[in-house]
Amino acid sequence: MLQRLLYQRKYKDSEFATLFAPYRGKEYVALDLETTSLDTKLADIVSMGAVIISENRILASQCFDIKIRATDKLGGDSIKVHRLRHSDLAQACSIEEALPKLLQFIGARPIVGYNIGYDQRILNRHCKERYGFKLVNPLVDVGRMFADKVHVDHVGISPNQDLVHICQSLGIPLSGRHQAIDDAITAAMIYLRLQFGPRPTNAIPQAISA
Amino acid sequence: MSTDFNFQHPPFDQLEPKQRELVSSNLDIHYFQSQQKIVTAGAQASSLFIIIKGQVEERADNNDEVFAHYTLEDWFDVRSQFGGYAKHDYIALEETLCYALPSQIFRRLVSENSDFGDYFQRDLATRHQLVESREGNKNLAEFILTTIDERNVQPAVVIEGETSLQQATLIMREQKLESLLVNHDGCFGMLTGTDLLHAAVLVQQSLDTPVCQLANFNLISVNKGDFLFNAMLLMTRNSIERVVVKDQQKIIGILEMAHLLSLFSTHSHVLALRIARASSIEELSEAAHTLNKLVENLCNNGIRTLFIMKLLATMNEQIISRVFELSIPHQHHNHICLMVMGSEGRGEQIVKTDQDNGLVIEDGYDWPERQQQLNQFSEYLLELGYPPCPGNIMVNNPEWVQQQSQWSKTIANWIETGHGDAMMNLAIVLDAHAIAGNKSLLRRLRKDLMAQMANRSVTLAFFAQPALKFHTPLTMFGNIKSKQAGLDIKKGGIFPIVHGVRALALEHAISATNTLERIEQLASLKVIDEDSAANLKEALLLFFKLRIQQLFPAEEGQDYHVLKLDKLNHSQRDLLRHGLHVVKKFKQLLALHFNIRDY
């Protein structure tokens, strides 16, 4: 809170002013990054996907979907995960171009995601290096949200927060392709389902027959 | 965006890559809670919704009538996409996720891509009428659905009965006719070139013989406005080459098989003729094995189920009676009667079914080599691709080959037993249909059965009971209930109607064996009211239709009675639900009518 006020003053005339303005809207942004490694200190961003959640809608038609030009850190292991080869990224833009666009898109909206703390740490590192600030948007982690809402059979057992498990137990279609935008949309669906739907149970429901 | 929108699903598979891109980049995702109203009647549409997950119900805005259910990959509301207003409310029955495609984008796609647009037009049309034929072989469908009128009837030339043989021949030659109508004191007869030849050359009649002695006065006629298809069946069934066409009582022309065949594309006629002309079991076998192909063709061309069943029944009947002629010497034919039973007897099969057949023999008729010849008959049918009957109801089983008085005793025994297999046997014989030999033998047998059953209400109730045995697959709230494996439409829908109607037909001594005909007769006797009769017929036809559609493309080892609900589109699912409700109501009526408790 205090951080936000400080930044608000510091950046009030920059392009990032909207990030720190008090947010009165009702929208959220679901975000997902594909990165070169799981180590937040080293990882580079390969692609960014973000989508706005407005009431009960996911505004997928106006989503943010950008691939970042390759750096030398794009190693073989992560290529296997999200199948973006160096050649695929040749058409993409640099992190210097993409980052401000993403921040514009997000604005001061709360950020929704699966394990969103990780994405936030990476964004923070990049923002800190380049602009000197960290993100102050509230975060909503859908894994956490699921764990809070789910009925547990025994108190004290921490519920399964695996993404596949969450999607199955909520009956949400899980995209099979590791792409930032698809994962962002999946996170958005989980958010809406948990926000508006009935309390989930930890059991996997039977497949619904028509 | 790059969502996982399924472009394999028709009609979206018709879209060009650019158009797919357009769809992808314009889709939003909406989430609705259970019981949330998605579209309100009277509102102008802004999007076409395609369901990702969940169930949506279309309801009249006063909530008293449910029109449809939509689920995975269904879309709604097409009607209001073209600038109109939503006619009904759309309500999420459970949590629902939908893609929303903006109406203006949808309209653009419809105008740009005619295949895509046609699909939606058709989808709308299917709600009113379920006959559609695909591209490619439209003429067949069109032909079969063509009715008889002046355009396809040859004018009939009428001559007086006193005309001489010679004059008639001249008239035929001059006018290049195949046949003439003979007016003899107001009666009309048919005179063909063959008749003239026969008279002049073989019987050596004098050339001034009046033609009224040669003509055939047993005219078979069809009416203007009938389907051509039915005329063809009639000719096939009676092995004749032409029929007279009447308008009310007036003769307006002649319809010739040869002419019909020239109109008729492909093989159904060829097949009929091949069957009729087969002189050996090998030739017959070739014909018989194309039957399934024919049915598939008709199905794929959107031909009405009723026609397909009629055609198949006729063809099967022809094949079996040919086999009968080929395996049993002619001198016996007048003293025995071959009957087919089960769905074949009712004329309701859509594939070559099991051999359900039996034989009635005249009392005291001596026929020593009978067993061997009947075995031969069953053997031949097997060769032609008719599988043996699991219950062994076949003429190579002596139990189903009896003399008339024996049959009478057997039936009496069944009636006395009054439950279980005996009742099922009774049901089987009740559907028997004579197809070869002396058909009056079966008629007498059935009369005897009806007489024995008259006024036996307790036995009747036992007879009717199996119709209520299977649970109708509807949930408490009137939605379709199905297992993972699918929905057994035979148990859930077809059997209850067929058997219930059979029981009512037995009670009222109705001689028809076809279920639809039985329903009509029951309605005319006021046993069932007109509305229920119409509903029952519609429901039964729909079940047949859905079952027939399961067959093509055929899957290995599938039970074609089990409907895969996920393969049905929403209007079909809708109709199915209505059909099952009809069954449910009918079962209640039966329980009440026959006083069956514990239902």
Side-chain angles (χ1 to χ4, degrees):
Chain A
M1 185 67 197
L2 193 62
Q3 185 72 76
R4 187 176 72 75
L5 292 172
L6 285 173
Y7 284 148
Q8 198 179 337
R9 181 169 302 175
K10 188 173 169 188
Y11 295 95
K12 72 173 188 295
D13 296 324
S14 81
E15 55 177 321
F16 302 115
T18 51
L19 286 176
F20 311 114
Y23 184 63
R24 310 229 187 283
K26 290 212 171 79
E27 293 178 342
Y28 291 76
V29 168
L31 172 81
D32 185 66
L33 306 176
E34 295 296 327
T35 55
T36 50
S37 90
L38 291 177
D39 183 343
T40 53
K41 293 196 181 63
L42 299 172
D44 270 336
I45 301 174
V46 178
S47 67
M48 306 170 166
V51 65
I52 291 175
I53 303 169
S54 172
E55 289 174 349
N56 67 338
R57 295 171 193 188
I58 301 169
L59 306 180
S61 54
Q62 313 150 35
C63 64
F64 183 88
D65 184 6
I66 280 186
K67 294 183 177 56
I68 309 293
R69 196 169 303 138
T71 60
D72 47 7
K73 290 185 192 160
L74 188 53
D77 284 350
S78 75
I79 291 179
K80 272 187 213 139
V81 175
H82 39 69
R83 304 204 184 109
L84 294 169
R85 301 183 313 270
H86 281 275
S87 59
D88 295 332
L89 299 178
Q91 304 303 320
C93 53
S94 68
I95 186 82
E96 277 70 25
E97 292 168 81
L99 197 53
K101 285 186 186 165
L102 177 68
L103 297 175
Q104 281 301 334
F105 185 84
I106 295 173
R109 296 180 186 90
I111 302 175
V112 173
Y114 178 72
N115 198 1
I116 193 68
Y118 164 82
D119 303 80
Q120 185 210 26
R121 280 195 292 280
I122 290 178
L123 282 179
N124 280 350
R125 198 188 86 224
H126 283 282
C127 293
K128 196 87 189 150
E129 284 171 11
R130 290 179 177 76
Y131 318 119
F133 62 76
K134 292 180 177 179
L135 291 178
V136 293
N137 308 51
L139 297 185
V140 180
D141 185 78
V142 292
R144 191 67 250 157
M145 196 173 166
F146 176 81
D148 290 344
K149 292 215 171 200
V150 78
H151 286 285
V152 206
D153 303 340
H154 307 285
V155 181
I157 291 184
S158 70
N160 185 345
Q161 284 189 38
D162 173 64
L163 183 65
V164 176
H165 170 83
I166 293 176
C167 285
Q168 278 183 338
S169 72
L170 298 179
I172 283 171
L174 181 63
S175 129
R177 314 167 317 178
H178 270 278
Q179 296 210 8
I181 184 61
D182 289 338
D183 288 352
I185 288 174
T186 302
M189 288 189 198
I190 296 173
Y191 172 80
L192 283 179
R193 163 67 181 77
L194 292 171
Q195 186 67 10
F196 297 111
R199 229 182 136 113
T201 59
N202 213 13
I204 304 283
Q206 291 305 303
I208 302 160
S209 52
Chain B
M1 72 175 253
S2 49
T3 41
D4 287 351
F5 186 80
N6 180 1
F7 283 107
Q8 304 314 310
H9 192 61
F12 294 93
D13 57 352
Q14 305 286 347
L15 297 175
E16 312 283 327
K18 259 204 170 113
Q19 295 168 327
R20 290 181 190 204
E21 192 50 46
L22 182 73
V23 170
S24 287
S25 58
N26 281 290
L27 282 176
D28 279 347
I29 299 169
H30 294 205
Y31 171 90
F32 300 100
Q33 296 164 49
S34 180
Q35 303 307 322
Q36 192 176 348
K37 205 180 267 194
I38 300 173
V39 175
T40 306
Q44 195 152 13
S46 56
S47 316
L48 178 77
F49 290 103
I50 301 123
I51 300 179
I52 301 173
K53 164 187 180 281
Q55 262 208 67
V56 173
E57 183 171 85
E58 179 182 352
R59 260 186 236 162
D61 55 356
N62 51 10
N63 266 348
D64 63 350
E65 192 174 357
V66 174
F67 287 94
H69 281 153
Y70 303 89
T71 177
L72 178 71
E73 291 187 340
D74 289 342
W75 50 79
F76 62 93
D77 156 37
V78 178
R79 254 176 321 211
S80 59
Q81 293 304 306
F82 302 93
Y85 297 92
K87 253 177 104 161
H88 303 128
D89 284 345
Y90 290 79
I91 292 132
L93 289 183
E94 52 185 58
E95 289 181 279
T96 302
L97 276 169
C98 296
Y99 287 116
L101 181 66
S103 298
Q104 71 266 25
I105 303 286
F106 174 71
R107 288 199 291 270
R108 190 171 135 191
L109 291 170
V110 167
S111 64
E112 279 178 12
N113 184 324
S114 59
D115 286 343
F116 181 78
D118 281 354
Y119 192 96
F120 284 98
Q121 297 292 351
R122 256 222 310 277
D123 185 61
L124 285 177
T126 49
R127 319 198 115 239
H128 308 295
Q129 183 200 11
L130 278 162
V131 177
E132 73 281 84
S133 63
R134 278 190 227 146
E135 288 299 316
N137 208 345
K138 265 199 166 143
N139 53 1
L140 176 59
E142 277 165 14
F143 169 72
I144 290 198
L145 300 174
T146 306
T147 54
I148 299 169
D149 61 18
E150 284 78 2
R151 278 172 309 160
N152 44 34
V153 166
Q154 282 102 336
V157 173
V158 183
I159 55 173
E160 289 304 311
E162 303 309 316
T163 319
S164 73
L165 196 160
Q166 191 178 17
Q167 273 174 302
T169 314
L170 284 172
I171 294 172
M172 274 199 195
R173 241 191 72 181
E174 279 165 17
Q175 309 208 19
K176 295 197 172 56
L177 293 168
E178 291 284 325
S179 58
L180 293 166
L181 284 182
V182 176
N183 181 0
H184 184 61
D185 298 340
C187 277
F188 285 92
M190 173 86 73
L191 185 71
T192 64
T194 322
D195 294 334
L196 294 176
L197 267 175
H198 182 264
V201 180
L202 294 178
V203 200
Q204 304 214 339
Q205 303 252 24
S206 69
L207 295 180
D208 53 11
T209 315
V211 288
C212 61
Q213 293 176 23
L214 312 172
N216 176 1
F217 285 89
N218 290 330
L219 283 191
I220 292 188
S221 66
V222 292
N223 290 316
K224 184 182 162 183
D226 276 358
F227 288 109
L228 279 181
F229 189 82
N230 283 339
M232 200 189 82
L233 288 184
L234 195 68
M235 289 191 241
T236 315
R237 202 166 254 169
N238 291 297
S239 323
I240 49 177
E241 290 290 321
R242 48 187 67 77
V243 287
V244 173
V245 182
K246 285 183 173 169
D247 186 4
Q248 262 100 40
Q249 288 308 308
K250 210 168 114 271
I251 293 181
I252 59 167
I254 294 174
L255 191 60
E256 307 228 352
M257 188 66 151
H259 176 67
L260 242 176
L261 296 190
S262 67
L263 290 174
F264 213 131
S265 82
T266 69
H267 17 252
S268 45
H269 69 277
V270 179
L271 192 59
L273 294 178
R274 267 163 74 192
I275 293 169
R277 291 172 192 176
S279 55
S280 72
I281 203 75
E282 289 74 26
E283 285 176 42
L284 200 54
S285 178
E286 281 172 29
H289 283 288
T290 51
L291 248 191
N292 282 351
K293 190 77 206 132
L294 167 69
V295 173
E296 181 171 2
N297 250 325
L298 293 170
C299 280
N300 291 342
N301 283 300
I303 305 297
R304 286 181 52 195
T305 320
L306 190 59
F307 282 147
I308 297 177
M309 291 196 313
K310 268 192 186 176
L311 181 75
L312 203 69
T314 306
M315 296 284 175
N316 271 326
E317 195 175 310
Q318 300 246 321
I319 291 175
I320 293 169
S321 66
R322 278 305 291 161
V323 174
F324 183 78
E325 282 162 17
L326 289 171
S327 52
I328 289 159
H330 211 275
Q331 74 259 30
H332 305 307
H333 287 198
N334 235 338
H335 307 280
I336 58 179
C337 170
L338 176 71
M339 54 189 180
V340 291
M341 294 167 275
S343 60
E344 191 129 0
R346 294 191 305 271
E348 288 165 8
Q349 75 283 54
I350 49 169
V351 280
K352 278 190 289 192
T353 41
D354 307 345
Q355 302 184 28
D356 278 338
N357 48 39
L359 201 72
V360 189
I361 305 174
E362 212 175 73
D363 274 347
Y365 183 66
D366 184 39
W367 179 18
E369 63 278 22
R370 136 181 134 189
Q371 203 47 49
Q372 175 201 345
Q373 287 170 4
L374 290 173
N375 289 350
Q376 180 68 70
F377 171 83
S378 297
E379 207 43 51
Y380 278 161
L381 282 184
L382 206 56
E383 259 176 64
L384 298 188
Y386 293 87
C389 165
N392 213 4
I393 301 169
M394 315 195 303
V395 293
N396 57 4
N397 171 4
E399 278 178 45
W400 289 88
V401 178
Q402 302 184 23
Q403 297 199 346
Q404 266 193 291
S405 48
Q406 281 174 301
W407 269 119
S408 198
K409 283 198 196 92
T410 306
I411 288 170
N413 276 339
W414 286 341
I415 293 174
E416 279 317 308
T417 312
H419 58 81
D421 283 351
M423 281 290 120
M424 252 8 258
N425 284 340
L426 210 52
I428 289 165
V429 171
L430 202 58
D431 289 345
H433 170 67
I435 61 168
N438 179 355
K439 297 181 183 179
S440 67
L441 290 172
L442 178 64
R443 255 201 306 279
R444 270 176 257 159
L445 180 76
R446 289 170 56 94
K447 257 208 181 97
D448 182 51
L449 193 163
M450 300 280 184
Q452 292 198 45
M453 274 303 282
N455 304 325
R456 300 188 63 127
S457 56
V458 175
T459 315
L460 254 176
F462 272 115
F463 181 85
Q465 202 153 14
L468 310 182
K469 191 169 77 178
F470 301 114
H471 178 74
T472 309
L474 287 167
T475 62
M476 284 278 289
F477 305 108
N479 293 328
I480 299 174
K481 186 154 79 182
S482 94
K483 298 196 180 70
Q484 239 18 142
L487 185 151
D488 188 328
I489 196 62
K490 186 177 177 181
K491 288 181 181 165
I494 296 174
F495 180 78
I497 295 184
V498 166
H499 191 68
V501 168
R502 183 159 48 200
L504 290 169
L506 173 59
E507 183 185 29
H508 296 273
I510 286 168
S511 58
T513 56
N514 177 278
T515 306
L516 297 168
E517 286 174 28
R518 282 173 172 167
I519 294 172
E520 277 166 26
Q521 296 194 20
L522 286 168
S524 66
L525 291 172
K526 303 268 185 292
V527 180
I528 311 178
D529 65 87
E530 289 290 342
D531 280 352
S532 308
N535 283 338
L536 276 176
K537 283 199 296 196
E538 284 299 314
L540 189 61
L541 275 173
L542 171 79
F543 299 154
F544 284 145
K545 185 185 164 107
L546 291 174
R547 191 173 63 169
I548 222 170
Q549 285 171 339
Q550 294 264 118
L551 284 172
F552 313 110
E555 289 168 24
E556 232 10 75
Q558 67 166 10
D559 178 351
Y560 77 101
H561 295 306
V562 176
L563 298 185
K564 300 265 188 297
L565 291 184
D566 49 352
K567 294 213 175 115
L568 303 180
N569 63 31
H570 61 74
S571 65
Q572 286 173 315
R573 263 202 300 271
D574 234 22
L575 288 165
L576 176 61
R577 197 169 53 88
H578 282 294
L580 291 174
H581 276 282
V582 170
V583 173
K584 197 172 165 182
K585 218 174 121 181
F586 181 58
K587 280 161 71 175
Q588 287 162 348
L589 182 145
L590 288 174
L592 203 66
H593 182 93
F594 289 111
N595 255 322
I596 301 171
R597 290 204 196 88
D598 319 326
Y599 168 57

